[in-house]
Amino acid sequence: EVFFEAGIHGDEIGTVENIIRFARDLCKGYGTNTQITNLVNTREIFLLLMVNPDGRESMSRYNANYVDINRDGGYMWNGEGNSPAAWSQVETKAIRNFLNQRHFVVVRSLFLTLGATVLM
């Protein structure tokens, strides 16, 4: 199982585009490209296109509660980005719960600098 997420910062629209293009490439290459066909056949691939839809609408890194959800996770949480507590936001709770229910060997959060070619 592999999981890719994008759009944690609503104002970084390139990451969402990378996931969409990755999904397109998987679909178009399946059955014609042996590497892609093998990837799809041997893995469960989960793609989350938009972690922060509120931020996307306002073109901001913050969600509707004005929390930077990139700073809301539990690992090394220290109250940055207006986060009142680790896992305080509905978005981070949903992702945490989803991840805890699965057995992912790869979890990748895409940021603006990551290109779709790196995913292959």
Side-chain angles (χ1 to χ4, degrees), residues 7-90:
I8 200 163
H9 293 145
D11 57 350
E12 293 179 353
I13 59 174
T15 61
V16 176
E17 182 68 22
N18 284 341
I19 290 283
I20 291 169
R21 288 176 185 229
F22 181 52
R24 180 202 61 196
D25 291 347
L26 290 175
C27 293
K28 289 177 82 173
Y30 185 79
T32 59
N33 179 303
T34 56
Q35 185 178 15
I36 290 174
T37 302
N38 185 52
L39 267 172
V40 173
N41 286 345
T42 60
R43 289 159 184 82
E44 289 188 54
I45 302 170
F46 296 83
L47 307 175
L48 177 57
L49 299 178
M50 177 56 64
V51 174
N52 185 0
D54 298 320
R56 177 64 182 263
E57 188 167 315
S58 65
M59 288 307 292
S60 164
R61 70 181 317 141
Y62 300 97
N63 69 359
N65 298 324
Y66 202 69
V67 171
D68 180 352
I69 56 177
N70 185 48
R71 305 281 187 239
D72 192 59
Y75 179 71
M76 296 180 66
W77 180 87
N78 64 1
E80 292 180 11
N82 297 329
S83 176
W87 311 113
S88 68
Q89 301 301 297
V90 67

